[in-house]
Amino acid sequence: MEITRGGQFLVKETKCEDIFTPEDFSEEQIMMRDSVKEFVDKEIWPNKDRFEHKDYAFTEEMMRKAGEMGFLSVAVPEAYGGMGMGFVDTCLVCDYISGATGSFSTAFGAHTGIGTMPITLYGTEEQKQKYVPKLASGEWFGAYCLTEPGAGSDANSGKTKAVLSADGKSYSITGQKMWISNAGFCSVFIVFARIEDDKNITGFIIENDAANGITMNEEEHKLGIRASSTRQVFFNETKVPVENMLAGRGEGFKIAMNALNVGRIKLAAACLDAQRRVTSNAVNYANERVQFNTPIAQFGAIRYKLAEMATSAYAGESATYRAAKDIETRIKLREAEGTSHQEAELKGVEEFAIECSILKVAVSEDVQNCADEGIQIYGGMGFSEDTPMESAWRDARIARIYEGTNEINRMLSVGMLIKKAMKGHVDLLGPASKVQEELMGIPSFDTPDYSELFAEEKELIGKLKKAFLMVAGGAVQKYGMDLDAHQQLLMAAADILIEIYMAESTVLRTEKMAKAQGEDKVKEQIAMAKLYLYKAVDVVTQKGKESIISFAEGDEQRMMLMGLRRFTKYTNMPNIVGLRETITTKLVAENSYCF
C-alpha cells in the first residue's frame, strides 16, 4: 500500500483498496465501539434532561464513570496508565461517546484532547509521570486555557503575562481566560501566557488551587452544551514552578496549533453519532406520525430530508475514518523509523492538518443541517423540549465555532495546501499548468466506456480536482502571496476542496464495499455516493463561477468559465429523486440509520 501525504488526494488518484473504511474495523474495534454505545445508551441517553437542566455534577459523575471504563485513556500510552491504542480507536471512541448530548461530548473532548494531550505530546518524562496517569484514569480532569476576551481567532495575541521570579525558580501568571471548558471541576489547567515581549506565547501546567490566586466567574449561560462547565478563569500572580513549563519558551503557539489539529478531526468524529441518532429518531417519528391517513414517512417532502440526512452522515463517516487511518499509518511509519511516540504522533497529525480542517468544517455543518431537518420532520413537536431534537440543534451550533471557527479553518485548508506546494511536499504547480494546457487544447469527443461501477463518478472527481487547480491556480497567479488578503476567494476555493475530499471518500468507500459484498448488497450506499457527488458538483460549479468572475476578466474569464463547464459536466445525469427514494426506502424499512 502506498503511503500518502496530506493534501496529496488533490493531485493523485487514490484507489479504493488504499483507504480505510468503517467496514474495515477489527473485532477489537467493534467490541470497543459496542461497549461505548452500551455506556451511552445506559448512562447518558436516558438522562438527557439532567444535562439540559445544567446538572454539572452529573456531567462530572459521568466523566468519572467513563474513566472507570477506561474510555478516557484510549489515546494515552501504556507507560502512563493508558490503553495505548491507535489513532483510529481514539476517533472511534470519540465518535460513539459523543452522540447523545453535546454537554458530555464537550467535557470528554476537552479532557481527553486539549486537557491531556498537550502533556502526553509535549511534556517532559517527569511531567508525564506526574500528571498523565491521573488524567487517564479520571481521578483528575484537565482544562485548556487559551482564549481571552481580546484573543479569540488570533490565538497568539493573548495578554496573560508570565513573570520569572528573582530566584529563577517559578513564574508568576496573571491574566484572564474565557470559555474554559471543564473549569468548574478540573484539577489541572494547560495555560498559555507571554513571557516579557516574546513574539509567541508559552504553555504551562498549572494545578487548580484557589489559594494560589486562581478565581472563577459563575457558569456561563449558553445556547447549547448546557451542562458542560464553561467559566472565565482569572490568574492573579499564580505561582508555577519553572519545571511546569510545557515544551520550551515561546513554544506555546505551536502547542496550541497542533492540539487544535488533533482536536479538529476528533470534533468531526464527535459529530458523527449525533447525526446517526438524529436520523434514526427522525425516521422513527416519521414512521409513527400519521397525517392525511398516511405515515409522513411516505411523503416525498419528508423522504427528501431523510435521504439527505443519511447521506451526509455516511459521507462524514467515510471521510473521517479515511483520514484517521492515514494519520495512524503515518504515526506507525515514523515510530518504525525510531521516532519517539510523541514526535511520531505530532508529525503524523501535522502531515494531515489540511484534511483535519476540511473534516471539521464539513461535518460540523452537516450535523447542524441534520438536526435542523430533524426539527422540521417533528414539526411543532421538534420545537418542544419534550423531544430530543431542539437540544441536538442547540448543541450542534457550537461545533462550527470551537477548535477554530469554520471560516478560519476554510482559509487554513487552502493556505496550508499552498504552503505545502511551495515547500515541494505536494506538487500543485505541475498539475495546474497541465490544466492550463488542457484548456487551450481541443476537448475529446469520444464516448468513454462507463460500464464499470463508478467509472463516470471517478472520472468526474478527477475533473473536479482540475476545476480546483484552475480556480486556485488562477487566483495564486493573480495575487501571489497577497492571496491571504482575498478571504472570499480563499473561502470559495476551500468549499471546492472540501467537496472533493468528501465526495471522493464516499465514492471510494462504497466502491470498496461493492467489490467485497457485491453491488446488489450495497445499492443504497451506491445511491448515497452518487447523490453526494451530484450535490458536490453543484457546489463546485457555483463557487468556481463566483471566483472566476471575481478575479478574471475578458478572454481569460471566458476561457476559465468554459473550462469550469467542461470539468463539471456529466455524460449521464443521475436520477436524483430516484436515488433519494432508494435511500429512504431502506431507512424507513429498517426504522433507523442502518448504513
Short mmCIF file of all heavy atoms in Angstrom, two decimals, residues 458-479:
data_model
loop_
_atom_site.label_atom_id
_atom_site.label_comp_id
_atom_site.label_asym_id
_atom_site.label_seq_id
_atom_site.Cartn_x
_atom_site.Cartn_y
_atom_site.Cartn_z
N LYS A 458 -15.80 8.54 -10.83
CA LYS A 458 -14.37 8.74 -10.51
C LYS A 458 -13.72 9.68 -11.54
O LYS A 458 -12.88 10.50 -11.18
CB LYS A 458 -13.65 7.39 -10.43
CG LYS A 458 -14.06 6.61 -9.18
CD LYS A 458 -13.12 5.47 -8.84
CE LYS A 458 -13.08 4.40 -9.90
NZ LYS A 458 -12.32 3.22 -9.47
N GLU A 459 -14.15 9.57 -12.76
CA GLU A 459 -13.62 10.49 -13.78
C GLU A 459 -14.06 11.92 -13.45
O GLU A 459 -13.28 12.88 -13.58
CB GLU A 459 -14.14 10.09 -15.17
CG GLU A 459 -13.54 10.94 -16.27
CD GLU A 459 -14.10 10.59 -17.64
OE1 GLU A 459 -13.70 9.55 -18.20
OE2 GLU A 459 -14.97 11.34 -18.14
N LEU A 460 -15.29 12.05 -13.01
CA LEU A 460 -15.83 13.37 -12.66
C LEU A 460 -15.06 13.96 -11.46
O LEU A 460 -14.75 15.15 -11.44
CB LEU A 460 -17.32 13.24 -12.33
CG LEU A 460 -18.15 14.52 -12.27
CD1 LEU A 460 -17.95 15.38 -13.51
CD2 LEU A 460 -19.63 14.17 -12.13
N ILE A 461 -14.73 13.13 -10.48
CA ILE A 461 -13.96 13.62 -9.32
C ILE A 461 -12.59 14.13 -9.81
O ILE A 461 -12.11 15.17 -9.37
CB ILE A 461 -13.81 12.52 -8.25
CG1 ILE A 461 -15.16 12.30 -7.55
CG2 ILE A 461 -12.76 12.89 -7.21
CD1 ILE A 461 -15.26 11.04 -6.72
N GLY A 462 -12.00 13.40 -10.77
CA GLY A 462 -10.74 13.85 -11.37
C GLY A 462 -10.89 15.22 -12.01
O GLY A 462 -10.01 16.08 -11.93
N LYS A 463 -12.05 15.43 -12.65
CA LYS A 463 -12.30 16.73 -13.30
C LYS A 463 -12.53 17.84 -12.27
O LYS A 463 -12.12 18.97 -12.47
CB LYS A 463 -13.48 16.62 -14.27
CG LYS A 463 -13.17 15.73 -15.49
CD LYS A 463 -14.14 15.92 -16.65
CE LYS A 463 -15.53 15.43 -16.34
NZ LYS A 463 -16.39 15.29 -17.53
N LEU A 464 -13.18 17.48 -11.16
CA LEU A 464 -13.39 18.49 -10.10
C LEU A 464 -12.04 18.95 -9.53
O LEU A 464 -11.87 20.11 -9.18
CB LEU A 464 -14.26 17.93 -8.97
CG LEU A 464 -15.71 17.55 -9.33
CD1 LEU A 464 -16.46 17.10 -8.09
CD2 LEU A 464 -16.46 18.70 -10.00
N LYS A 465 -11.09 18.02 -9.46
CA LYS A 465 -9.74 18.39 -8.99
C LYS A 465 -9.11 19.39 -9.97
O LYS A 465 -8.44 20.33 -9.55
CB LYS A 465 -8.86 17.14 -8.84
CG LYS A 465 -9.34 16.20 -7.74
CD LYS A 465 -8.52 14.92 -7.68
CE LYS A 465 -9.08 13.97 -6.62
NZ LYS A 465 -8.29 12.72 -6.48
N LYS A 466 -9.35 19.18 -11.25
CA LYS A 466 -8.83 20.13 -12.25
C LYS A 466 -9.50 21.49 -12.08
O LYS A 466 -8.86 22.53 -12.23
CB LYS A 466 -9.09 19.61 -13.67
CG LYS A 466 -8.24 18.40 -14.04
CD LYS A 466 -8.60 17.91 -15.44
CE LYS A 466 -7.77 16.65 -15.79
NZ LYS A 466 -8.16 16.11 -17.10
N ALA A 467 -10.80 21.47 -11.76
CA ALA A 467 -11.51 22.74 -11.54
C ALA A 467 -10.88 23.49 -10.38
O ALA A 467 -10.66 24.70 -10.44
CB ALA A 467 -12.99 22.48 -11.26
N PHE A 468 -10.53 22.76 -9.30
CA PHE A 468 -9.88 23.42 -8.16
C PHE A 468 -8.54 24.00 -8.57
O PHE A 468 -8.22 25.15 -8.25
CB PHE A 468 -9.68 22.43 -7.00
CG PHE A 468 -8.91 23.05 -5.85
CD1 PHE A 468 -9.56 23.80 -4.88
CD2 PHE A 468 -7.52 22.93 -5.76
CE1 PHE A 468 -8.86 24.40 -3.84
CE2 PHE A 468 -6.81 23.52 -4.73
CZ PHE A 468 -7.48 24.26 -3.76
N LEU A 469 -7.74 23.19 -9.28
CA LEU A 469 -6.40 23.66 -9.69
C LEU A 469 -6.51 24.89 -10.60
O LEU A 469 -5.70 25.81 -10.51
CB LEU A 469 -5.66 22.53 -10.42
CG LEU A 469 -5.21 21.37 -9.51
CD1 LEU A 469 -4.76 20.19 -10.36
CD2 LEU A 469 -4.11 21.80 -8.56
N MET A 470 -7.53 24.90 -11.46
CA MET A 470 -7.72 26.03 -12.36
C MET A 470 -8.09 27.29 -11.56
O MET A 470 -7.48 28.36 -11.76
CB MET A 470 -8.82 25.70 -13.37
CG MET A 470 -9.19 26.86 -14.28
SD MET A 470 -10.55 26.46 -15.42
CE MET A 470 -11.97 26.49 -14.32
N VAL A 471 -9.05 27.16 -10.66
CA VAL A 471 -9.53 28.33 -9.90
C VAL A 471 -8.46 28.82 -8.92
O VAL A 471 -8.10 30.00 -8.90
CB VAL A 471 -10.84 27.98 -9.16
CG1 VAL A 471 -11.22 29.11 -8.20
CG2 VAL A 471 -11.97 27.74 -10.15
N ALA A 472 -7.92 27.88 -8.12
CA ALA A 472 -6.92 28.28 -7.12
C ALA A 472 -5.64 28.74 -7.81
O ALA A 472 -5.03 29.74 -7.43
CB ALA A 472 -6.63 27.12 -6.17
N GLY A 473 -5.26 28.03 -8.88
CA GLY A 473 -4.05 28.41 -9.64
C GLY A 473 -4.19 29.80 -10.23
O GLY A 473 -3.27 30.62 -10.16
N GLY A 474 -5.36 30.09 -10.79
CA GLY A 474 -5.63 31.42 -11.36
C GLY A 474 -5.54 32.51 -10.31
O GLY A 474 -4.96 33.57 -10.53
N ALA A 475 -6.08 32.21 -9.11
CA ALA A 475 -6.07 33.21 -8.04
C ALA A 475 -4.64 33.44 -7.53
O ALA A 475 -4.23 34.57 -7.27
CB ALA A 475 -6.97 32.75 -6.90
N VAL A 476 -3.87 32.35 -7.42
CA VAL A 476 -2.48 32.48 -6.96
C VAL A 476 -1.66 33.28 -7.98
O VAL A 476 -0.87 34.15 -7.63
CB VAL A 476 -1.83 31.10 -6.71
CG1 VAL A 476 -0.33 31.23 -6.49
CG2 VAL A 476 -2.47 30.42 -5.51
N GLN A 477 -1.89 32.99 -9.27
CA GLN A 477 -1.16 33.74 -10.31
C GLN A 477 -1.48 35.23 -10.25
O GLN A 477 -0.61 36.06 -10.42
CB GLN A 477 -1.55 33.20 -11.70
CG GLN A 477 -0.62 32.09 -12.16
CD GLN A 477 -1.01 31.56 -13.54
OE1 GLN A 477 -2.18 31.57 -13.92
NE2 GLN A 477 -0.04 31.11 -14.30
N LYS A 478 -2.74 35.52 -9.99
CA LYS A 478 -3.13 36.93 -9.99
C LYS A 478 -2.64 37.66 -8.73
O LYS A 478 -2.18 38.78 -8.80
CB LYS A 478 -4.66 37.03 -10.10
CG LYS A 478 -5.18 38.43 -9.85
CD LYS A 478 -6.19 38.86 -10.87
CE LYS A 478 -6.45 40.35 -10.76
NZ LYS A 478 -7.58 40.81 -11.51
N TYR A 479 -2.77 37.02 -7.55
CA TYR A 479 -2.49 37.74 -6.30
C TYR A 479 -1.20 37.30 -5.60
O TYR A 479 -0.78 37.94 -4.64
CB TYR A 479 -3.68 37.61 -5.33
CG TYR A 479 -4.94 38.20 -5.89
CD1 TYR A 479 -6.03 37.40 -6.22
CD2 TYR A 479 -5.05 39.58 -6.09
CE1 TYR A 479 -7.20 37.94 -6.74
CE2 TYR A 479 -6.21 40.13 -6.61
CZ TYR A 479 -7.28 39.31 -6.93
OH TYR A 479 -8.42 39.85 -7.44
#
